[in-house]
């Protein structure tokens, strides 16, 4: 993109090349923007969009951004709070009929006990509903085996969001609402609530209220992808998760001689086999430029970065979104896989609304999220910075992309103590 080389950009180049040379990624895109898009610190692509075809990156490549979809749902839900159409304290059952007759909580003894209270919309966005976690997460927050992994996988094959909600309501909870953080399908449930309240498919509401105002022209649900979006997509790969599970230290070492990555099979690739419905938890495809616009808007506390004064979110809502909503009530800290935070110190983290924040945050501080495809994203107001790294590699918990990039930023990009952001 014609940027002048700096010690920071040189360090990022070296970091990316290390991962390419070790044959652990086929390619990646990395970008760092400052001051609401007024300054691009670094933007580059490395390797191939499709290694086997030797297809280079084009600059407008599309990625399956997986759980970064959740941040968009958070903004959408808070828009409805601003309009008085929902309240975060509302029980889910106010909008989802099936949640009026939940089965209860399955205890360690195999017995069901009644819910002490109903899960709320806030619970859905901070992952404290009490529902069992995703199908690929083997353990509950309290250490028990995930008893409903298969059921949670089946739910994602529901034909509509209404069917999804009905299937989800039929599965017993594993904890009382508000007691534990379990990374579950709750944000998909919040997405369905948005559909119920607005009378619009989630894809249409996103387009009208977020994507169009921000000029995010290449962002859509995977289930709604066009031929153009599909043609520009970066090929999906997967790490050798079996080798990593067997011996993480050996797999991560330089002398590991087995397969380090491979192209994802069709049944593993959410671009080729996505949920049929618009998944609020992991359904979006986007580009680096599009998601950077979204991040820059949140850096500006909900204001469009163009200086027009228009907003997609009021500052008070932004502060609510980036506030610690879990550390004072939950018995566990956020799990690292929620932000593909390998190497991250989660003891000092908490969940806000759709984002991970610093423990004790009153809002407006550092916040971040990630995606199953090793999508890394964070917003650092003290450095007036938005960071993105997309590489389309599953599974996101294997490599310390996030923590290593943070170390580079902390070394080369000073905080602006006079920042008004």
């Amino acid at each position: 993109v014609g940027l002048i080389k700096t010690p920071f950009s040189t360090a990022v180049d070296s970091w990316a090349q290390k991962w390419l040379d070790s044959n652990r990624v086929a390619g990646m895109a990395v970008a760092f923007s400052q001051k609401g898009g007024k300054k691009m610190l670094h933007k580059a692509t490395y390797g191939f969009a499709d290694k086997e075809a030797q297809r280079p990156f084009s600059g407008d490549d599309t990625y399956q951004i997986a759980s970064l979809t959740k941040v968009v749902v958070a903004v959408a839900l808070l828009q409805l709070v601003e309009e008085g159409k929902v309240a975060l304290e509302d029980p889910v059952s106010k909008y989802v009929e099936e949640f009026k007759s939940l089965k209860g909580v399955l205890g360690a003894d195999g017995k069901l006990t009644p819910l002490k209270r109903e899960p709320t919309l806030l619970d859905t966005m901070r992952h404290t509903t009490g529902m069992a976690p995703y199908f690929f997460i083997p353990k509950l927050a309290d250490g028990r085996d995930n008893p409903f992994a298969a059921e949670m996988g089946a739910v994602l094959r529901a034909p509509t969001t209404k069917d999804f909600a009905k299937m989800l309501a039929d599965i017993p909870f594993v904890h009382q609402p508000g007691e534990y953080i379990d990374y579950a399908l709750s944000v998909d449930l919040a997405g369905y609530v948005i559909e119920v309240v607005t009378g619009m498919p989630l894809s249409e509401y996103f387009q009208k209220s977020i994507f169009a105002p921000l000029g995010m022209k290449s962002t859509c649900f995977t289930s709604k992808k066009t031929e153009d979006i599909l043609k520009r997509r970066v090929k999906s790969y997967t790490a050798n998760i079996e080798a990593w599970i067997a011996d993480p230290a050996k797999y991560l070492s330089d002398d590991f001689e087995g397969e380090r990555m491979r192209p994802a099979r069709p049944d593993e690739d959410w671009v080729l086999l996505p949920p049929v419905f618009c998944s609020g938890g992991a359904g979006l495809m986007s580009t680096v430029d599009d998601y950077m616009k979204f991040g820059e808007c949140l850096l500006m506390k909900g204001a469009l970065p163009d200086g027009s004064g228009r907003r997609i979110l009021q500052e008070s809502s932004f502060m609510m979104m980036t506030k610690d909503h879990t550390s004072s009530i939950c018995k566990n800290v956020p799990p690292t896989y929620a932000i593909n935070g390998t190497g991250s110190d989660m003891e000092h983290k908490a969940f806000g609304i759709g984002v991970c924040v610093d423990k004790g945050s009153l809002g407006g501080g550092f916040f971040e999220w990630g995606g199953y495809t090793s999508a890394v994203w964070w917003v650092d107001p003290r450095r007036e910075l938005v960071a993105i790294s997309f590489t389309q590699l599953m599974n996101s918990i294997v490599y310390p992309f996030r923590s290593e990039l943070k170390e580079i930023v902390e070394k080369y990009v000073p905080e602006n103590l006079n920042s008004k952001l």
Side-chain angles (χ1 to χ4, degrees):
V1 292
L3 298 175
I4 297 173
K5 283 294 181 185
T6 65
F8 171 66
S9 61
T10 300
V12 176
D13 287 343
S14 298
W15 171 83
Q17 196 61 48
K18 172 192 73 172
W19 289 104
L20 288 172
D21 290 345
S22 65
N23 197 36
R24 296 185 188 276
V25 297
M28 57 172 49
V30 185
F32 295 89
S33 170
Q34 272 191 316
K35 302 181 184 298
K38 295 181 176 68
K39 182 179 181 181
M40 187 63 68
L41 284 183
H42 181 82
K43 184 181 179 185
T45 56
Y46 309 89
F48 294 99
D50 183 334
K51 188 174 183 180
E52 285 68 33
Q54 295 285 286
R55 177 167 65 88
F57 287 95
S58 63
D60 62 351
D61 312 276
T62 58
Y63 299 80
Q64 213 288 339
I65 61 172
S67 285
L68 284 178
T69 308
K70 292 178 171 70
V71 191
V72 184
V73 172
V75 170
L77 188 66
L78 287 168
Q79 287 177 334
L80 299 183
V81 172
E82 290 177 359
E83 295 169 10
K85 294 179 178 177
V86 302
L88 293 174
E89 298 77 21
D90 287 344
V92 173
S93 64
K94 182 176 180 179
Y95 308 99
V96 183
E97 183 73 23
E98 290 79 8
F99 269 66
K100 292 181 179 178
S101 54
L102 296 170
K103 295 183 180 302
V105 178
L106 182 69
D109 58 2
K111 297 180 180 179
L112 288 172
T113 58
L115 293 173
K116 296 177 182 177
R117 67 168 177 83
E118 292 187 50
T120 64
L121 295 184
L122 179 58
D123 284 319
T124 67
M125 296 308 302
R126 66 186 181 185
H127 298 280
T128 56
T129 57
M131 293 190 297
Y134 273 93
F135 66 92
F136 55 82
I137 298 173
K139 296 287 185 180
L140 305 182
D142 60 9
R144 287 182 286 156
D145 289 340
N146 182 356
F148 300 117
E151 289 85 347
M152 289 303 171
V155 164
L156 285 172
R157 303 262 65 89
T160 68
T161 44
K162 183 175 179 61
D163 291 315
F164 159 83
K166 185 178 186 304
M167 291 171 68
L168 201 61
D170 285 339
I171 303 171
F173 282 27
V174 293
H175 293 120
Q176 292 290 342
E179 292 189 357
Y180 283 93
I181 298 171
D182 270 305
Y183 194 52
L185 292 169
S186 57
V187 180
D188 290 89
L189 185 60
Y192 176 55
V193 170
I194 293 170
E195 293 188 334
V196 171
V197 171
T198 64
M200 301 168 65
L202 196 57
S203 55
E204 290 184 18
Y205 183 81
F206 278 4
Q207 180 62 33
K208 171 180 174 287
S209 301
I210 299 172
F211 299 159
L214 289 174
M216 297 171 65
K217 297 179 180 179
S218 293
T219 302
C220 68
F221 278 96
T222 312
S223 57
K224 304 286 186 181
K225 59 185 176 293
T226 63
E227 283 300 317
D228 175 59
I229 293 289
L230 188 60
K231 182 173 65 176
R232 290 187 275 137
R233 83 174 184 101
V234 176
K235 186 173 181 177
S236 298
Y237 292 83
T238 181
N240 187 340
I241 194 69
E242 294 82 8
W244 178 76
I245 291 172
D247 191 336
K250 181 179 179 181
Y251 176 66
L252 295 173
S253 68
D254 291 338
D255 58 0
F256 176 74
E257 296 180 352
E259 182 182 56
R260 295 184 175 187
M261 69 167 181
R262 59 171 172 77
R265 299 189 309 267
D267 64 307
E268 298 172 317
D269 189 343
W270 272 33
V271 176
L272 300 178
L273 190 67
V276 178
F277 64 89
C278 293
S279 166
L284 286 178
M285 295 183 72
S286 191
T287 64
V288 170
D289 286 349
D290 271 12
Y291 211 82
M292 183 63 80
K293 291 174 183 176
F294 180 66
E296 288 165 352
C297 179
L298 291 179
L299 177 67
M300 306 298 290
K301 300 179 181 178
L304 270 63
D306 60 10
S308 65
R310 294 180 298 156
R311 309 184 69 90
I312 64 167
L313 205 61
Q314 296 302 313
E315 184 173 340
S316 58
S317 297
F318 165 80
M319 295 297 284
M320 179 65 70
M321 176 179 174
T322 54
K323 174 185 175 182
D324 173 359
H325 286 278
T326 58
S327 64
S328 64
I329 65 166
C330 294
K331 298 178 181 179
N332 64 314
V333 298
T336 58
Y337 43 72
I339 57 166
N340 52 49
T342 304
S344 297
D345 180 9
M346 301 307 286
E347 291 294 327
H348 297 98
K349 291 292 183 179
F351 277 172
I353 296 175
V355 291
C356 185
V357 301
D358 292 334
K359 187 176 182 178
S361 173
L362 300 177
F366 183 98
F367 58 100
E368 59 190 323
W369 205 253
Y372 187 72
T373 50
S374 297
V376 172
W377 174 83
W378 76 79
V379 178
D380 184 347
R382 291 178 69 87
R383 290 182 171 84
E384 303 176 297
L385 178 140
V386 180
I388 286 178
S389 171
F390 290 167
T391 185
Q392 214 65 24
L393 178 78
M394 304 174 288
N395 184 305
S396 63
I397 61 173
V398 175
Y399 297 125
F401 299 136
R402 179 181 299 271
S403 56
E404 290 184 355
L405 276 176
K406 281 183 180 179
E407 289 176 3
I408 295 172
V409 169
E410 289 168 1
K411 180 176 180 179
Y412 290 101
V413 183
E415 293 182 348
N416 180 4
L417 299 181
N418 297 315
S419 173
K420 293 183 172 58
L421 293 177

